[in-house]
Amino acid sequence: NPYGSMVKWSLPALAGGTVVLLLCLGAAQDVERFYQGMTGGPQEGLQVELPGGSWTQHAQDVLYDGNRLCARLRKEDDSWAKTCVLVEGTQVFKAVDGKFELDIPDPAISAAYEAIGYQPGLPPGSWVHSARNYKFSGSTLTAELLRDDGSWVPAAANVAEWHFLQNNDGQFYVQKAACASMGTCSYSWLMKSGAKDIMCASAICDQVRDRETCCQQVQSCAFMTTCGSRLVPDLSGFCRELICDQENDIDICCVPAAYCDSLTCIYGYVLKPDPNSLVCPNSICFPDSDRDLCCDARAECGTLGLSHGDCYHGEYFKNEELCANKTCV
């Protein structure tokens, strides 16, 4: 798998100090072809990772020092040609008529960019406006970048799925990410149109911090007018889109009305008996507007007809204090 975990290969030290990489491709490979022209078998040594790609299926006598990759590659006429290439970062290669050529970008990175509206072949960002001879292979982007003094310099960057790059005087930098990289907004918010051209506060978009910048809040279900006689709009819910759809949003916006037992009465009032049988006009019972429907005023202690003389020694009667219910007992 050229884009997943790379296979570990053994670096044996042969006579004369030459470091040669022996390819061990498993029983399914033509092992003899890869060992052709070499003396001895695999020996213990350092573990390295070969550059990924399909080139290994057409190679023999491979040498790799972590920077320069050399091998004999099969040509179209079935002869072999020795060739070398300098490897940048995580570049992957294929063999074309005895030569190394860069292979495609990492499919996972390409798919991630394509999913949010960018072309899969290149990392997004302003870098492309001041670059030339750019190539994207594996997860490594190489290019010549324009410096502030007008000169061109080579540059390389290893790219992650959320990277949006810029050219900073001849070097790749991760710029502020576009809102599109956020993917989705938090509940009740939708991505603004043109999100590819709106930038978050930093190189990684945050659903909370960048919400106002990147997203628009959808309409409340309170705008629904088609719930019918037995259901009411969910005043704590939101429609699917910026504007409520009076037909398609019924399933998420229309709910039974609330009962008075869900209400906490304001000071001076107490729930009426059997509040679970009293229905408010909305999906939420409101302390002020539904007070008279759901609550009774608590009676004052003065309705008991008592005075200070009826209290224990040292106590006095609180005439205006409220009893627990609408009638003092």
Side-chain angles (χ1 to χ4, degrees):
N1 179 6
Y3 305 106
S5 299
M6 295 186 181
V7 180
K8 298 291 185 180
W9 309 89
S10 177
L11 272 176
L14 300 184
T18 303
V19 179
V20 181
L21 186 66
L22 298 182
L23 287 163
C24 303
L25 299 181
Q29 299 292 330
D30 183 0
V31 177
E32 291 304 319
R33 184 181 70 182
F34 287 85
Y35 291 160
Q36 181 178 341
M38 305 181 71
T39 59
Q43 302 175 45
E44 294 184 2
L46 298 176
Q47 294 296 310
V48 298
E49 293 181 351
L50 283 176
S54 60
W55 66 273
T56 57
Q57 301 173 23
H58 311 280
Q60 64 181 18
D61 299 352
V62 178
L63 297 93
Y64 181 50
D65 62 5
N67 183 41
R68 188 167 180 261
L69 173 64
C70 294
R72 291 206 302 159
L73 299 181
R74 185 185 295 275
K75 299 179 66 176
E76 292 180 355
D77 61 5
D78 282 338
S79 64
W80 297 86
K82 184 176 180 179
T83 184
C84 297
V85 66
L86 293 179
V87 182
E88 291 272 7
T90 60
Q91 286 178 332
V92 294
F93 297 91
K94 58 185 176 181
V96 178
D97 194 23
K99 296 180 180 179
F100 285 112
E101 289 191 8
L102 287 176
D103 212 340
I104 61 174
D106 185 339
I109 294 179
S110 295
Y113 283 132
E114 191 172 14
I116 56 178
Y118 292 90
Q119 62 182 22
L122 288 173
S126 60
W127 68 272
V128 72
H129 302 302
S130 56
R132 68 185 186 186
N133 298 328
Y134 41 79
K135 298 176 181 178
F136 187 30
S137 175
S139 61
T140 298
L141 174 66
T142 58
E144 291 181 67
L145 297 182
L146 182 64
R147 296 194 62 186
D148 295 341
D149 62 8
S151 62
W152 293 86
V153 293
N158 285 329
V159 181
E161 294 176 8
W162 52 267
H163 279 170
F164 290 71
L165 303 178
Q166 66 182 20
N167 173 13
N168 187 353
D169 193 25
Q171 293 184 332
F172 284 114
Y173 274 72
V174 178
Q175 71 179 68
K176 292 181 178 180
C179 289
S181 66
M182 186 186 299
T184 59
C185 298
S186 56
Y187 172 68
S188 80
W189 295 76
L190 288 179
M191 193 72 67
K192 290 180 179 179
S193 60
K196 293 193 297 182
D197 301 315
I198 303 173
M199 295 297 160
C200 296
S202 66
I204 302 178
C205 293
D206 184 271
Q207 284 189 336
V208 176
R209 181 195 61 214
D210 298 306
R211 185 178 62 187
E212 299 287 343
T213 300
C214 298
C215 309
Q216 291 177 282
Q217 190 163 36
V218 302
Q219 271 192 339
S220 164
C221 289
F223 286 88
M224 292 292 294
T225 60
T226 55
C227 287
S229 58
R230 296 186 178 182
L231 299 175
V232 296
D234 182 358
L235 300 184
S236 61
F238 293 88
C239 297
R240 291 184 172 89
E241 303 294 337
L242 295 177
I243 304 299
C244 292
D245 187 306
Q246 297 297 324
E247 294 184 3
N248 293 333
D249 288 326
I250 288 179
D251 61 327
I252 62 171
C253 279
C254 297
V255 297
Y259 286 84
C260 286
D261 59 354
S262 64
L263 177 67
T264 299
C265 296
I266 61 175
Y267 177 75
Y269 288 80
V270 65
L271 282 175
K272 290 183 176 182
D274 299 323
N276 57 352
S277 65
L278 301 174
V279 182
C280 294
N282 298 297
S283 64
I284 300 172
C285 293
F286 294 95
D288 293 321
S289 60
D290 295 318
R291 183 194 66 187
D292 295 337
L293 172 66
C294 296
C295 308
D296 288 327
R298 292 162 61 187
E300 293 185 353
C301 291
T303 61
L304 288 171
L306 302 176
S307 65
H308 298 312
D310 297 307
C311 297
Y312 290 107
H313 179 72
E315 297 180 344
Y316 63 94
F317 187 72
K318 299 178 181 180
N319 197 54
E320 297 180 355
E321 188 63 56
L322 298 177
C323 295
N325 296 296
K326 72 173 185 176
T327 302
C328 294
V329 179

